[in-house]
Every structure is written in C-alpha cells, then in structure tokens.
Amino acid sequence: MTAPIHLAQAVYSFGMGGSERLAWQIASALNGRGRYRCLLYAVQQGGPMAEMLDAEGIESRSFSRMRKFDLALILRLAIRLRRDGVRLVHTHHVGQLLNAGVAGRMAGAKVVHTEHEFYSLRSKRTQSLLRSLSRLAHVVTAVAMPVTEFLRDSVRIPAQHIRTIENGVHVPTFETAVPVRRIDLGLREGDLVIACVARLEVVKAHHVLLQAFSKIHRQTAGMKLVLVGDGGQRHRLMAMVERLRLNGSVKFLGLRNDIPGVLAACDLVILPSLEEGLPLVLLEAMAAGKAVVSTCVGSIPALVRHGENGLLVPPGDAAALAEAVETLILNGEARERMGIRALEIVRERYSLEQTMDSYQAVYDHALSRAS
C-alpha cells in the first residue's frame, strides 16, 4: 500500500475562524480517504482548536510570528516541514503565503494558496505583494466567484492560475444534530433564541446586532441572543450589553466545539458582517434547517436568497436588521418554510464531498507540476 502524502495546512492561528475551520475540515475529510495525511501549522499563534485537532488524531504545530515577514520563522517552518516529510503546503490568506509558502518552497514542497475574501486585500500594496507571492503557488484557489474575480481583475493573477472552490458542509452532521439543552446555555425551553456564530471582531458587526436587538427584544417576551465565538471585541461588547440594559437577554458562549448542537437549539441564525467571503457558518445554519438573516456582502447573496431561505439587509444598518429579525422571529411559519428551503439549497449546491473532491484534484495537479 502506498504511503500517504504529507500535506501541511498553514493557517493564522488555532482560533475558530472560517479559514481555520476549513483547514480542519479538509484535514479531517482527506485523512479519512487515505491518499493524504494532513497536518495543521499555525503560523502566528496557537489556540483552543489544537486540543480538538488532537482529539481527532490530527497533528498540529504552533509557531510565533514576530513580524509580517519573519525570516527566523520561515527557517523554522522550512526545517519543520522537512522533518515532517511534507510534500505539499496549503496556505490560507496572504500572510501565510508570505511565510509558510516561502518556507514550503525552501523545503522542496509544492504550494497551493487560498484566499477566503477580498476586503483585506484592497490596498495596492497588499495586492502587489499577493501578485508577486502568487508565483510561489502552483495553484491559487478562491472560496467564491467574487473572490476569484477580485484576484483576477484587481490583483491581476492570471485567470488560468485560479480555481474557484466553494465551501461545503457535511449536511448530516448538522441536519441530525441533537440540540444542546437550553438550560445548559442559560436559556429556558420557551425562549425564542437567536444565534450569531462569529469571531468577536469589528468586521463581524456584533455592535450593529446589539443595537438592532435592543430595538426589539423588549417587545417579545423570552427573546434571547446567544453570541458564539471570542475575539478582541469581547469586553467592548459586554460593556455595550450593560449600557443597553440587555443583561440576561444576551449570552456570551465563547468558543464551542459543539456548534451543530448549538445551532439545533436555536430558532434563527444571524450574521451581520460588514465584509465576508463565503461564510461556513451560514452553510452550517442552512444544513441545520435554520432560516438566516444576513448582510448582503461578499458571496452571501448567492447563498441567502432573500425571501426564500432567509432575509438580506444592508451592512451596518441596525434598523433594517431589527426589522428583518422581528419579521422572522414573530413568524414561526415563515421561519420553518425558509429553514426547509435552506436545507434543500445546501444539499443541492454545497456538499462537503464535492468541495473535498475539488481540493484533492487541485492537490494532485500541484504535485504533478515539474517545478
């Protein structure tokens, strides 16, 4: 039997952001197929995901980047890649291409690179950097067509060098998940529960969500908001909850490894981001059969069809967000209808198997390249 090919997924950290979760998803799926053995490298710092990876038998390595281009780190990465026998490095976001991509080429490995969004790539300096670094990669992938178009038209990466691989989700994991007991989340069985699963960072616009929630929560008895995730805005958001007198109605759940059960326990899922690519959490919410309310940014309008499987609102508009949430939270029939349609859409277009087939094909292609 042929030994599996060692493949390193290089991510920013072992937090629970979308790119980190996609790398974990790829590793878990492809390790089960046998052709590849995936390891995860965190270039900037570790995090709670490392324990979850270990529990699943996926090896992980944590590093500490001291500056944007860290030559000492690159040398450590190259040595580690050689020691691990890595033949292919998959970098996520330009910072990882700058360090782990360079290290991969130094170690004699092939490189695949993925961009997950384009809002962090708008400066000309970053575009110039990515354009130059993309030459290190044997294939560049993007998680959605708008990201592909940006890489082609603004960054000016040749179209033939880019592949679009949309995110996918293992539908049964979410469709059949046993709901977390609401009492364990500090909730009551009769509560109407809204969930937002996202890093607590400015770009995710929890502050807009809290403004919207404050407009409507007193009008509906037992309406609760649960925030799943952690990040640099946690203390600011907790102070905002205090200021808006939302104590008891907003729950900060922190990082969780039971997202399918949490989603199953909720009535409505919201993502109020100011910018996005193709967010995994919306796919997961749809696979859980939940109607969603989200902002019409990035590739979300291709995923959330307004009035069909959810509602779309402009980014940063607390009044519009409040109106959309109120519309669905007070109309159980509409929520159920949209949730059923959401599950149908994710089954039709966003299967994990299809996504993994595409990544494996890209990896095989990169390994076949002469240099």
Side-chain angles (χ1 to χ4, degrees):
M1 184 176 177
T2 305
I5 297 164
H6 288 200
L7 188 164
Q9 300 281 336
V11 295
Y12 177 79
S13 73
F14 287 143
M16 295 291 284
S19 56
E20 290 85 3
R21 291 171 62 214
L22 175 62
W24 179 6
Q25 200 177 56
I26 294 171
S28 182
L30 294 193
N31 283 2
R33 294 183 175 189
R35 174 165 169 74
Y36 289 95
R37 175 173 170 256
C38 295
L39 307 84
L40 265 71
Y41 283 38
V43 170
Q44 177 73 25
Q45 60 191 28
M49 199 172 85
E51 291 185 17
M52 303 174 198
L53 292 167
D54 184 61
E56 201 173 314
I58 299 172
E59 288 187 60
S60 63
R61 316 270 187 255
S62 297
F63 298 84
S64 179
R65 188 179 68 181
M66 303 305 295
R67 56 190 64 85
K68 192 168 187 177
F69 179 75
D70 190 334
L71 183 56
L73 169 64
I74 290 170
L75 294 173
R76 291 198 304 275
L77 283 166
I79 291 168
R80 185 75 249 188
L81 288 166
R82 282 187 179 276
R83 190 174 298 165
D84 286 336
V86 170
R87 290 179 55 197
L88 179 64
V89 178
H90 184 175
T91 57
H92 298 262
H93 295 293
V94 64
Q96 282 56 260
L97 181 57
L98 178 61
N99 291 281
V102 172
R105 294 304 292 259
M106 288 174 62
K110 303 296 174 64
V111 176
V112 169
H113 178 64
T114 295
E115 286 297 338
H116 295 254
E117 36 78 9
F118 54 77
Y119 58 84
S120 64
L121 304 174
R122 288 198 174 113
S123 81
K124 294 301 180 184
R125 184 176 180 181
T126 303
Q127 290 175 27
S128 177
L129 175 65
L130 179 55
R131 183 163 55 252
S132 298
L133 289 173
S134 68
R135 299 186 183 102
L136 294 173
H138 296 81
V139 183
V140 174
T141 76
V143 301
M145 185 54 68
V147 183
T148 295
E149 291 168 349
F150 185 88
L151 295 177
R152 182 194 66 207
D153 300 337
S154 297
V155 182
R156 301 200 305 277
I157 297 174
Q160 65 270 22
H161 197 48
I162 310 172
R163 304 285 187 275
T164 305
I165 304 179
E166 292 184 317
N167 289 337
V169 64
H170 186 245
V171 174
T173 296
F174 294 87
E175 183 183 8
T176 63
V178 176
V180 174
R181 293 194 314 163
R182 287 191 167 188
I183 192 171
D184 294 334
L185 301 177
L187 305 168
R188 295 173 300 186
E189 286 304 316
D191 287 340
L192 287 166
V193 182
I194 303 164
C196 177
V197 182
R199 290 177 292 113
L200 302 184
E201 303 293 349
V202 173
V203 72
K204 300 300 181 181
H206 294 84
H207 60 289
V208 179
L209 174 55
L210 290 177
Q211 290 168 12
F213 187 70
S214 71
K215 294 177 182 296
I216 59 174
H217 90 286
R218 292 183 182 86
Q219 301 170 25
T220 305
M223 186 162 62
K224 298 291 191 296
L225 172 64
V226 297
L227 304 180
V228 183
D230 207 347
Q233 292 291 299
R234 182 182 182 91
H235 295 300
R236 178 173 177 261
L237 293 170
M238 293 180 76
M240 189 174 179
V241 167
E242 185 86 25
R243 187 169 66 254
L244 293 173
R245 299 181 180 178
L246 296 174
N247 292 338
S249 296
V250 178
K251 306 289 183 182
F252 289 83
L253 301 187
L255 294 170
R256 310 270 309 196
N257 61 1
D258 56 352
I259 298 299
V262 172
L263 291 174
C266 297
D267 298 297
L268 181 67
V269 177
I270 300 181
L271 190 65
S273 303
L274 302 176
E275 304 274 9
E276 276 292 352
L278 182 64
L280 272 173
V281 67
L282 289 186
L283 292 173
E284 293 168 348
M286 291 167 62
K290 304 299 177 181
V292 298
V293 174
S294 186
T295 44
C296 48
V297 297
S299 298
I300 291 174
L303 180 61
V304 180
R305 303 171 188 175
H306 186 74
E308 186 177 344
N309 63 311
L311 297 177
L312 293 171
V313 299
D317 191 334
L321 184 59
E323 183 179 354
V325 170
E326 190 171 31
T327 296
L328 289 185
I329 207 70
L330 297 178
N331 190 336
E333 184 179 336
R335 284 202 316 275
E336 183 177 1
R337 171 175 52 80
M338 290 184 184
I340 291 170
R341 183 61 185 134
L343 179 55
E344 291 172 349
I345 290 170
V346 83
R347 279 176 177 160
E348 291 164 6
R349 282 200 55 191
Y350 299 99
S351 78
L352 180 63
E353 193 71 16
Q354 182 176 329
T355 299
M356 294 304 110
D357 286 346
S358 297
Y359 277 114
Q360 181 161 325
V362 162
Y363 296 154
D364 291 347
H365 174 71
L367 287 169
S368 72
R369 297 283 297 273
S371 60

